[in-house]
Each structure stands twice: as C-alpha cells, then as structure tokens.
Amino acid sequence: LGSLEVRRGGNNEVLPASKRTRALLGYLVATGKAHTRRHLCDLLWDGPDDPPGSRSEERRVGKECRS
C-alpha cells in the first residue's frame, strides 16, 4: 500500500510523527464518518491493561488529529 500521504490543495501536509496518530487519521479518512471515542480507543489501545499514561496519549492523539 505504501506510506500515508495527506494532500491539501495539491500540497503534501506534514504528518505527525506518532504511528498511532497517523493510524487514527488514516482510519478516519478511510471510513469517512464520525466515530465515538470509545470505538476509536478500542481500535488503537489494548484496553484496561494499557500502560500508565495511555489516557494522556489518547488525548494528545485526538488533539493532533483535530489540528
């Protein structure tokens, strides 16, 4: 499939360094619809046994995708 690229107005956009953020962005674009936070967390995080700090990472990833 190749690497993820985002183009706006014919120009390549700079993507976040985080693989998880790029995965979230790609998923949202590919599905073309809104998803609940719970659904997205279930896709990208393992669950209640995630390492400490995963909730703050979840917020950071969401914030990066919105900007």
Side-chain angles (χ1 to χ4, degrees):
L1 291 171
S3 61
L4 178 65
E5 289 184 359
V6 175
R7 292 178 182 243
R8 187 185 310 177
N11 298 317
N12 283 345
E13 293 290 322
V14 176
L15 294 173
S18 164
K19 288 181 183 180
R20 190 171 278 163
T21 304
R22 287 182 292 187
L24 175 59
L25 181 60
Y27 180 77
L28 292 172
V29 169
T31 60
K33 63 180 186 176
H35 300 278
T36 64
R37 177 179 287 193
R38 177 93 242 129
H39 174 72
L40 296 173
C41 288
D42 288 346
L43 285 174
L44 298 171
W45 282 269
D46 293 333
D49 296 329
D50 280 337
S54 61
R55 295 296 279 171
S56 62
E57 182 184 4
E58 170 197 331
R59 286 189 294 277
R60 181 190 58 75
V61 166
K63 189 175 184 177
E64 283 184 16
C65 283
R66 284 190 293 273
S67 60

